[in-house]
Amino acid sequence: MGIHPDFPFDLAEVLAGTEPDRPVYLFSPAALIRTFRQFETAFSGEVTFAVKANPERHVLRTLCQAGMRAFDVASVDEMRAVRAVCPEARLHYHNPVRSAAEIAAAKRFGITSWSIDRISELDKLGEIMGQEIAVRIKLPVKGAAYDFGSKFGAEPELAQALLRAVEGRGARASITFHPGTQCDDPEPWRRYIAAAAEIAEAAGIKLERLNVGGGFAANRGVAPDLQAVFAAIETAVAASFGRGAPKLVCEPGRAMVSESFTLVLGVKALCEEGVFLSDGLYGALMEWRDLPAPERITALDPDGMPRSGPRAPRVVFGPTCDSLDRLPEPLPLPQDLAAGDRLVIRGMGAYSLCLATGFNGYGRAQVVVTG
Ligand SMILES: Cc1ncc(COP(=O)(O)O)c(C=O)c1O
């Protein structure tokens, strides 16, 4: 196998020792650190990472070693994963609905930053004197891949009542929101920030912090303009809050980790019905049901050279015996694709490894750390 110009490594070398029918992820710590630094430089607040996007220990350790000191966690297992590699990290427990057992475990992990979107979940937390409670708000905004307001978030009137309740219990009140994942439009941030200021003012509460999500877009064929989003955030905060602006926090998942992983899948067979890959909807490609990114695929022959035939739409099957294991839309693949080839898919760090089910004994991936 040669060195393909798009990939800064010798595929044969990095794939040596991996099993041919297992999905292989090539992880670049350097790429992850580069993205973290871009966020740190351009975002005027604390940069954290939404662990849900990729809780792999190499990812968490790399961010910790690069200086990240706070993480957004949604579950007790995520708390454990962060603390295992970054014992000093502060954890923001930003899943607004939790069981009593999860709350007790979170307290044992020393959590002092929570989010809520309903009074019953505030009640459940018990003693919260001095702790940070971020009220999650929701607005009817568009711009993301799908609507994040359909499950969590308080509408403005309820949010005001929650802020007052938080302060009434001696806790520090913040606001948090999530514009929806893969949001490439700055407008939702502008609207959310303006609404956060209005809600806080109407409630008569000075916010400790404002958490602007999650939601930053990754490259899915079109490079997102993150600078435009950061600039919109800064302008909107200045315009809406003025001098008394709260400290900012962001918690990107997708945009932080996407570019640092390249996925390598094997082509198992081709037939009239379509192409069979070594992993599919039950594994690394689960998110492609809703968010496919076919333009990120390069097909390589067994010598590592790109297949250059004209592309034609092909139905793509995963390796399991379930007939639902097939991508909803055909993918444009080179017509000279053959069994034994590899599909190399860039930008696969988010919502890939962590969504694999292991169904039928497939999907258990190998992670190879590259430069
Ligand atoms: C509370 C919270 N923060 C951050 C994220 C990360 O979002 P994204 O990966 O779109 O940046 C999510 C995703 O579900 C979330 O629920």
Side-chain angles (χ1 to χ4, degrees):
M1 257 183 210
I3 299 180
H4 184 270
D6 283 356
F7 311 113
F9 38 73
D10 185 323
L11 254 192
E13 210 173 280
V14 294
L15 294 180
T18 63
E19 296 170 55
D21 289 325
R22 281 207 189 288
V24 178
Y25 288 90
L26 310 177
F27 168 52
S28 165
L32 181 58
I33 293 170
R34 219 167 25 244
T35 307
F36 178 33
R37 298 283 177 249
Q38 277 165 3
F39 267 88
E40 277 189 321
T41 307
F43 178 72
S44 47
E46 181 167 32
V47 179
T48 72
F49 173 58
V51 174
K52 57 181 71 75
N54 192 328
E56 226 279 332
R57 102 194 117 86
H58 292 300
V59 169
L60 302 179
R61 182 180 292 139
T62 301
L63 289 172
C64 182
Q65 285 171 350
M68 188 174 280
R69 284 297 168 267
F71 292 78
D72 159 47
V73 291
S75 66
V76 176
D77 275 4
E78 288 186 0
M79 294 170 205
R80 201 168 286 123
V82 175
R83 280 286 157 76
V85 297
C86 202
E88 305 302 320
R90 280 172 288 114
L91 303 175
H92 301 154
Y93 190 3
H94 279 179
N95 184 340
V97 176
R98 296 159 283 244
S99 73
E102 286 171 328
I103 291 168
K107 289 187 175 178
R108 288 195 293 277
F109 273 103
I111 300 271
T112 57
S113 177
W114 316 74
S115 81
I116 55 153
D117 63 358
R118 62 203 79 191
I119 198 78
S120 54
E121 289 297 317
L122 181 63
D123 292 341
K124 252 193 208 168
L125 294 179
E127 174 56 53
I128 49 167
M129 185 78 81
Q131 303 198 15
E132 179 185 38
I133 309 290
V135 172
R136 174 137 170 199
I137 60 172
K138 72 169 169 190
L139 298 175
V141 294
K142 291 207 177 354
Y146 51 91
D147 179 13
F148 260 44
S150 65
K151 187 167 178 189
F152 294 129
E155 284 174 359
E157 207 169 312
L158 173 58
Q160 289 172 35
L162 291 172
L163 285 175
R164 286 192 214 100
V166 166
E167 204 170 79
R169 294 176 198 199
R172 295 175 289 127
S174 294
I175 283 183
T176 185
F177 63 84
H178 194 303
T181 203
Q182 189 61 17
C183 186
D184 52 13
D185 178 0
E187 190 53 27
W189 275 278
R190 286 193 196 100
R191 290 196 44 205
Y192 264 110
I193 290 165
E198 282 163 21
I199 291 166
E201 192 179 353
I205 301 289
K206 182 161 168 39
L207 296 180
E208 172 94 6
R209 298 203 287 181
L210 177 62
N211 185 324
V212 299
F216 305 91
N219 186 331
R220 300 190 74 92
V222 180
D225 189 351
L226 287 182
Q227 295 303 331
V229 174
F230 295 136
I233 290 172
E234 211 165 312
T235 310
V237 168
S240 304
F241 288 94
R243 283 170 169 270
K247 285 181 237 128
L248 297 184
V249 191
C250 67
E251 50 187 24
R254 179 186 301 285
M256 182 67 75
V257 77
S258 280
E259 285 304 316
S260 58
F261 280 73
T262 296
L263 172 66
V264 183
L265 298 180
V267 177
K268 294 178 70 166
L270 290 96
C271 61
E272 222 173 89
E273 293 84 5
V275 177
F276 287 76
L277 300 180
S278 59
D279 204 16
L281 269 196
Y282 288 100
L285 299 183
M286 184 181 282
E287 216 202 15
W288 284 36
R289 195 193 57 184
D290 305 294
L291 278 176
E295 57 290 320
R296 313 226 80 202
I297 299 176
T298 304
L300 301 182
D301 70 17
D303 293 324
M305 297 317 292
R307 290 288 185 190
S308 53
R311 293 193 173 218
R314 302 294 300 263
V315 171
V316 171
F317 297 104
T320 72
C321 292
D322 186 352
S323 51
L324 293 180
D325 188 5
R326 127 189 205 163
L327 295 184
E329 299 296 331
L331 297 184
L333 293 173
Q335 279 173 350
D336 51 349
L337 193 71
D341 285 357
R342 312 254 197 189
L343 296 190
V344 181
I345 314 176
R346 284 163 295 132
M348 286 298 289
Y351 307 109
S352 47
L353 255 178
C354 56
L355 295 183
T357 62
F359 174 52
N360 259 195
Y362 286 105
R364 212 156 39 76
Q366 289 178 276
V367 176
V368 175
V369 179
T370 64

